[in-house]
Amino acid sequence: MTDYAKLIDAETWAFIERTNSYYPPDTIDYTIEQQRGIYDRMCREFFAGYPEGVKAEDRTVVAPSHEIPVRIYRASADPKAVVVYYHGGGFILGGLDSHDDVCAELCARTGYEVVSVDYRLAPEHLHPAAFDDALAAFEWVTKTYPQPILLCGDSAGGNLAAAVSHATRGHERRPVGQVLIYPGLGGDQSKGSYVTHAEAPMLTMRDMAFYKDIRTGGADVSGDVTYMPLADADFSNLPPTVIVTAECDPLSSDGQAYTARVIAAGGKAFSHEEPGLVHGYLRARHTVGRARASFTRIVDAVAALGKGEWGY
């Protein structure tokens, strides 16, 4: 058994306990509607507000069969790049409000415009609905903005960002970079962090099995790159990639595996595992020193890739 008492510091334990007070570990045993209510309340409790000077506007992207809500954050009259952000939530939770302050802070600290995407959720909309919306939103951004476009996302959103990167390699306006935050990319669950951190605080293998079945409706998606980017046989021509993972997280090995595949194919990729942090630590960025430092690392990566810089 992994000794989390040694790996995780007091600040992070306080964050875990606060999170569990709003979103108990057994939440996956509730109905989807109840889970969403619990999650939304937790997000409201952690909401940190907007930095001064950030303004947000809600719009819709028109897809063939429906409209995709997006929220656009601006802090500059002349943004040098645009970030497309895909939120986490296991493909069943979250939306424009769940990561509202994260996107606002990313906008303020980079000066870039941020477009947050409210993709369709399971189980009402099974895979590949979320991916289809993620791709449609990217296409809309390419037609709307002349600036360089980056992809960014956390957890499930990191999966979507990577899947869009793989799908748009031949695009005239392909992404100039991607920053993935503790993403689930479809790695080998028989080894690495999947085994070492199977019972980690905040995310367990039991949780992951639940999210997988909900997203797919039980369908066999093995080999589907839009579901698990690590299933791709070709990792060439991907955008420069920065992945930031949490040590105490079953998904951490995915970041290392993905980075190795990109580098082996001749691309640029860098992964950093945050010691002692847990899945979902973005919400701890104002209360936990390690999370605060990690968010700065993420902001710096987004800022650099938007300028076409690679310092890794």
Side-chain angles (χ1 to χ4, degrees), residues 162-213:
V164 171
S165 287
H166 284 248
T168 57
R169 280 177 286 192
H171 198 290
E172 183 181 352
R173 295 282 313 284
R174 69 180 197 154
V176 298
Q178 60 175 343
V179 177
L180 313 179
I181 306 160
Y182 39 78
L185 301 171
D188 184 346
Q189 297 190 5
S190 70
K191 62 183 183 180
S193 59
Y194 285 103
V195 176
T196 310
H197 296 289
E199 299 296 327
M202 303 287 282
L203 184 69
T204 66
M205 288 301 294
R206 178 172 176 258
D207 296 329
M208 291 180 56
F210 171 81
Y211 291 132
K212 172 184 179 296
D213 289 342

Side-chain angles (χ1 to χ4, degrees), residues 192-249:
S193 59
Y194 285 103
V195 176
T196 310
H197 296 289
E199 299 296 327
M202 303 287 282
L203 184 69
T204 66
M205 288 301 294
R206 178 172 176 258
D207 296 329
M208 291 180 56
F210 171 81
Y211 291 132
K212 172 184 179 296
D213 289 342
I214 286 290
R215 184 185 178 193
T216 63
D220 181 9
V221 291
S222 54
D224 182 348
V225 177
T226 67
Y227 178 82
M228 49 178 69
L230 275 167
D232 204 339
D234 180 10
F235 272 70
S236 63
N237 298 314
L238 287 168
T241 300
V242 175
I243 306 181
V244 183
T245 62
E247 178 185 15
C248 305
D249 180 352

Side-chain angles (χ1 to χ4, degrees), residues 44-69:
R44 288 194 296 272
E45 293 291 345
F46 278 101
F47 181 70
Y50 283 19
E52 187 176 349
V54 175
K55 293 188 169 127
E57 173 193 6
D58 288 354
R59 295 185 62 181
T60 54
V61 172
V62 178
S65 63
H66 62 287
E67 293 185 339
I68 306 163

Side-chain angles (χ1 to χ4, degrees), residues 69-117:
V70 296
R71 182 167 293 162
I72 301 169
Y73 301 81
R74 299 185 182 94
S76 167
D78 183 28
K80 303 302 182 187
V82 177
V83 181
V84 182
Y85 194 93
Y86 304 111
H87 68 82
F91 297 98
I92 66 169
L93 307 170
L96 297 181
D97 292 337
S98 64
H99 291 62
D100 193 25
D101 51 352
V102 172
C103 291
E105 289 175 35
L106 191 59
C107 169
R109 293 180 61 173
T110 61
Y112 299 160
E113 204 144 311
V114 176
V115 179
S116 179
V117 182

